Amino acid sequence: MNSDRARILKKARHKRGPVAYWMSRDQRAEDNWALTFAQELAINGGSALGVIFTLSDDFLGAALRQYGFMLRSLVEIEEALAEKKIPFALLRGDPGEAVSDFAEEQSVSAIVTDFSPLATKRSWNERVIQRLAVPVYEVDAHNIVPSWRASPKQEYSARTFRQKIKRLLPLFCEEFPSLKVHPHPWDLGGRVDWDRIWRDLDVDRTVPEVNWIFPGAAAAREALQRFLNEKLSSYDRDRNDPNRDGQSNLSPYLHFGMISAARIALEAVRADADPKSKAAFLEELVVRRELSDNFCYYNPGYDSFEAFPDWAKKSLNDHRSDPREHLYDQKELERAETHDDLWNAAQREMVLRGKMHGYMRMYWAKKILEWTESPEEAQKIAIYLNDRYELDGRDPNGYAGIAWSIGGVHDRAWGEREIFGKVRYMSRRGAESKFNVGSYVERIGTPE
Ligand code: FAD
Ligand code: FO1
């Protein structure tokens, strides 16, 4: 493994004792560099290895839909780890405290965790570091090129980031080693009582689970194979048409780490498919996705107006008092009660299906800017809805996508117009010129 994938968050003397991999963002047993690193550390020290997951009831507005998707996959992970003689424990309570209490009780010698640029996980890490006297390592198991290696600063556009990441990709595109049967046992008190976890789960149950997509690593692999066999070759033509099922639908799996982006990239590169489509897909999967992590990692205000570039902030400020022809509040938007049936259809697609089409996401967020009191309110509402309903929400891609749509992040200045200032505008007429809006609206259905 390229050693730059790992870094030390807390230096401390290595004592003897088991190594714990604190899994969070990368919820899979195979193709996981954080787990590989933890196993190597354990084997080199002659130690046991275990995986812990801290279940928090309140993660950035997630509801039953997303918790269900995650928990059903964690059951599979426990099973896959058991086959390798690696125990799995599910901890409850404040994650920072739960991890440090567990480590003390079990005399853990080192903690390894996966990387997330989001504030929540960073604050959990801080708490663990403060409370524990053992080494804590962080491994970027999500990005192909670790965020801290891809660039030392926030990149202002895909163009500048693309150059850097393309140069580094050959160093990090390695085949994954298989997880080994772990040679040193660790008794963590048996299997997780999943029935009890479900019973005690205190989350918003008004956003139900969906049944068009199945969670877990095996389902993710199948979805990838289907995409490579049936859709990759026409990706470039079909991905921006919400009436064609042209996208991969891999984002929910990527968000929860049920599949690794590097695995998808390796398979896509090997696939016998149209080169233009391959390049378009890899641009989204690698450059755009890893650029979102770069944005959130170097810009702690990623979910605020402050994150927008200066030209956009100035321009949006100049247009604050422009009259709005339509004004909606959060509830009206949430219930898809606007004058625009295209927007309403997109909103309903997200609420009912848990995944809005990629093209519609841009239109959707830009219209929220057009129809609310201020850019701050638009951003807040867009984040609330995205995080509450999307399976892939609560993700750097979401914060970056919303900041791109409303605040010009990673974009350039366009011709000035009302409300948007120099932020790129999207019109319903533009959508109509790209795809059959009527059939999209009809397919998603109108409320009774
Ligand atoms: P595919 O087209 O098959 O792409 C494959 C993968 O490439 C995706 O799974 C994703 O990881 C990555 N990707 C594709 N488009 C983008 C993009 N524009 N930016 C960054 N990465 C990209 N993506 C999320 O994962 N979570 C979100 O919450 C989210 N919210 C968004 C909100 C707005 C307002 C906008 C404009 C975009 C948002 N995106 C989000 C980005 C993008 O729309 C989705 O990643 C994509 O539609 C997911 O579907 P897919 O996996 O079928 O995509
Ligand atoms: N990660 C956890 O470690 N514990 C959780 O309880 C948890 C819940 C959760 C719910 C919805 C969702 O979209 C993601 C969730 N995650 C959870 C994963 C989370 O994405 C990562 O921990 C992030 O890296 C944190 O920034």
Side-chain angles (χ1 to χ4, degrees):
M1 165 181 135
N2 185 321
S3 57
D4 283 358
R5 289 186 201 283
R7 62 181 183 178
I8 188 142
L9 294 184
K10 178 173 183 127
K11 279 198 179 133
R13 208 170 55 81
H14 265 271
K15 48 175 193 163
R16 286 191 70 79
V19 172
Y21 163 35
W22 172 21
M23 175 185 279
S24 175
R25 194 186 191 198
D26 291 283
Q27 301 172 15
R28 61 186 182 276
E30 289 293 343
D31 295 350
N32 183 333
W33 290 118
L35 183 52
T36 302
F37 179 84
Q39 185 163 52
E40 273 175 22
L41 201 62
I43 289 177
N44 291 342
S47 307
L49 168 68
V51 176
I52 54 178
F53 186 87
T54 51
L55 183 64
S56 129
D57 281 338
D58 180 22
F59 186 77
L60 293 169
L64 182 64
R65 169 172 298 168
Q66 298 88 7
Y67 274 95
F69 196 74
M70 183 176 85
L71 286 176
R72 291 179 201 286
S73 164
L74 288 175
V75 175
E76 274 182 27
I77 293 175
E78 181 190 37
E79 193 57 47
L81 292 170
E83 281 172 22
K84 304 288 181 184
K85 306 256 181 286
I86 300 169
F88 175 83
L90 198 89
L91 312 179
R92 303 301 308 268
D94 172 81
E97 284 178 24
V99 170
S100 30
D101 290 350
F102 171 89
E104 268 167 16
E105 278 158 26
Q106 296 287 334
S107 302
V108 160
S109 64
I111 300 275
V112 177
T113 193
D114 43 44
F115 163 78
S116 165
L118 298 188
T120 313
K121 177 65 172 16
R122 285 163 95 153
S123 74
W124 294 350
N125 287 351
E126 274 310 309
R127 197 133 172 80
V128 170
I129 291 165
Q130 276 164 11
R131 288 173 56 120
L132 273 186
V134 299
V136 179
Y137 298 91
E138 185 176 47
V139 179
D140 189 344
H142 215 77
N143 292 296
I144 304 178
V145 178
S147 250
W148 52 79
R149 271 293 264 123
S151 167
K153 63 176 176 68
Q154 186 187 338
E155 294 292 332
Y156 289 95
S157 73
R159 188 179 54 79
T160 57
F161 188 64
R162 190 179 302 115
Q163 290 166 354
K164 293 188 174 162
I165 203 159
K166 283 208 166 156
R167 218 174 304 126
L168 291 165
L169 274 171
L171 300 177
F172 291 95
C173 278
E174 316 166 72
E175 254 309 336
F176 289 98
S178 291
L179 188 61
K180 300 184 179 85
V181 174
H182 201 74
H184 310 289
W186 187 7
D187 181 4
L188 280 180
R191 293 297 187 92
V192 175
D193 181 350
W194 292 105
D195 288 338
R196 182 154 172 221
I197 296 294
W198 276 99
R199 256 198 327 271
D200 293 351
L201 189 66
D202 184 19
V203 299
D204 180 353
R205 290 174 185 265
T206 60
V207 183
E209 293 185 75
V210 293
N211 58 17
W212 64 271
I213 181 169
F214 298 100
R221 286 285 191 123
E222 274 174 37
L224 171 61
Q225 275 320 313
R226 258 197 323 277
F227 172 69
L228 296 176
N229 296 339
E230 297 164 21
K231 299 197 276 182
L232 177 59
S233 268
S234 47
Y235 183 78
D236 193 40
R237 187 195 66 201
D238 290 350
R239 69 187 153 136
N240 279 328
D241 184 343
N243 291 320
R244 296 177 192 245
D245 185 21
Q247 293 188 281
S248 67
N249 285 332
L250 290 168
S251 58
Y253 299 118
L254 279 163
H255 167 69
F256 288 99
M258 294 170 192
I259 194 165
S260 131
R263 168 62 56 201
I264 302 174
L266 286 168
E267 304 287 331
V269 167
R270 286 184 198 129
D272 178 19
D274 167 53
K276 204 163 160 232
S277 278
K278 263 193 193 185
F281 178 68
L282 290 167
E283 167 72 13
E284 301 298 344
L285 177 78
V286 183
V287 179
R288 297 281 164 172
R289 196 183 45 77
E290 306 212 351
L291 179 62
S292 300
D293 261 40
N294 168 277
F295 169 62
C296 293
Y297 182 50
Y298 289 111
N299 196 330
Y302 52 80
D303 53 357
S304 71
F305 183 84
E306 277 315 302
F308 301 166
D310 289 343
W311 65 263
K313 280 196 278 205
K314 173 168 186 321
S315 190
L316 288 166
N317 280 333
D318 289 346
H319 289 270
R320 270 184 193 278
S321 43
D322 288 357
R324 269 80 171 150
E325 195 184 338
H326 304 279
L327 264 186
Y328 300 107
D329 63 22
Q330 183 168 293
K331 278 278 160 248
E332 290 166 318
L333 293 166
E334 190 162 14
R335 291 194 296 253
E337 290 171 354
T338 77
H339 63 285
D340 178 2
D341 59 1
L342 176 59
W343 193 93
N344 295 345
Q347 169 66 19
R348 285 171 59 76
E349 184 175 38
M350 178 175 73
V351 169
L352 298 175
R353 195 166 186 263
K355 186 169 182 286
M356 190 192 297
H357 189 275
Y359 178 86
M360 290 311 303
R361 294 192 198 206
M362 300 184 273
Y363 180 83
W364 172 85
K366 284 184 179 289
K367 292 296 155 192
I368 300 181
L369 171 61
E370 196 173 334
W371 301 334
T372 49
E373 302 268 5
S374 67
E376 286 86 351
E377 196 193 352
Q379 188 183 22
K380 192 169 111 305
I381 294 175
I383 290 176
Y384 162 77
L385 295 173
N386 200 72
D387 283 359
R388 180 167 162 80
Y389 293 105
E390 296 280 22
L391 274 168
D392 62 19
R394 304 149 306 285
D395 190 279
N397 281 348
Y399 303 115
I402 288 167
W404 177 88
S405 308
I406 294 174
V409 165
H410 302 147
D411 204 357
R412 64 171 170 89
W414 293 73
E416 194 156 2
R417 56 177 298 136
E418 290 205 334
I419 305 171
F420 284 76
K422 293 180 180 165
V423 172
R424 185 199 297 247
Y425 178 70
M426 277 173 80
S427 69
R428 173 158 175 146
R429 200 171 300 157
E432 281 165 354
S433 72
K434 283 205 173 346
F435 67 95
N436 187 334
V437 163
S439 78
Y440 175 71
V441 171
E442 199 180 323
R443 187 164 49 80
I444 307 299
T446 38
E448 320 62 62

